[in-house]
Amino acid sequence: MKGPKINRIIGYVIFLAACIFFIMGTVSGGPLMIVFYIIGGVIAAASVVWMIMKVRCPHCGTLLHLKLYNIDRCPVCGKSTDPED
C-alpha cells in the first residue's frame, strides 16, 4: 500500500493528463474537440475519485487534505501519515 503523499502525487499527475486533453480539445476545434473534452472530463473525474479513495490516514482512515502542502500528521488522530509508522 502506498502512502497518502504518493497517492496524492499520482492523483495530481492524472489530473495533469486531463488538463492536457482539455488543451488538445481547445486547440483542435471541430468535432474532435468534443471527444477530447469528454476524455479529459472522465480522466479528471477519475483523478478526484482516486484522491478521495486513496489520500487517507493509514491509521484512522480520515480523508487528508488534497491541497499541495505537507501532510506529515493526520489532523484528526495526530499520528504520522507515513504507513510504516
Side-chain angles (χ1 to χ4, degrees):
M1 179 177 166
K2 295 181 175 95
K5 296 174 192 175
I6 299 297
N7 285 325
R8 184 175 62 178
I9 291 170
I10 292 170
Y12 276 113
V13 168
I14 294 170
F15 189 76
L16 179 65
C19 291
I20 291 171
F21 274 99
F22 286 133
I23 292 170
M24 288 174 26
T26 303
V27 170
S28 70
L32 196 57
M33 175 179 68
I34 296 170
V35 173
F36 281 132
Y37 281 171
I38 291 172
I39 292 171
V42 168
I43 293 173
S47 168
V48 171
V49 168
W50 171 269
M51 287 196 283
I52 288 174
M53 289 177 55
K54 297 290 186 171
V55 182
R56 296 189 171 269
C57 174
H59 303 286
C60 67
T62 302
L63 179 65
L64 299 172
H65 296 287
L66 300 178
K67 297 177 183 176
L68 289 175
Y69 64 84
N70 197 5
I71 51 170
D72 282 339
R73 299 230 169 257
C74 175
V76 176
C77 69
K79 295 182 181 176
S80 173
T81 57
D82 205 14
E84 286 83 32
D85 290 344

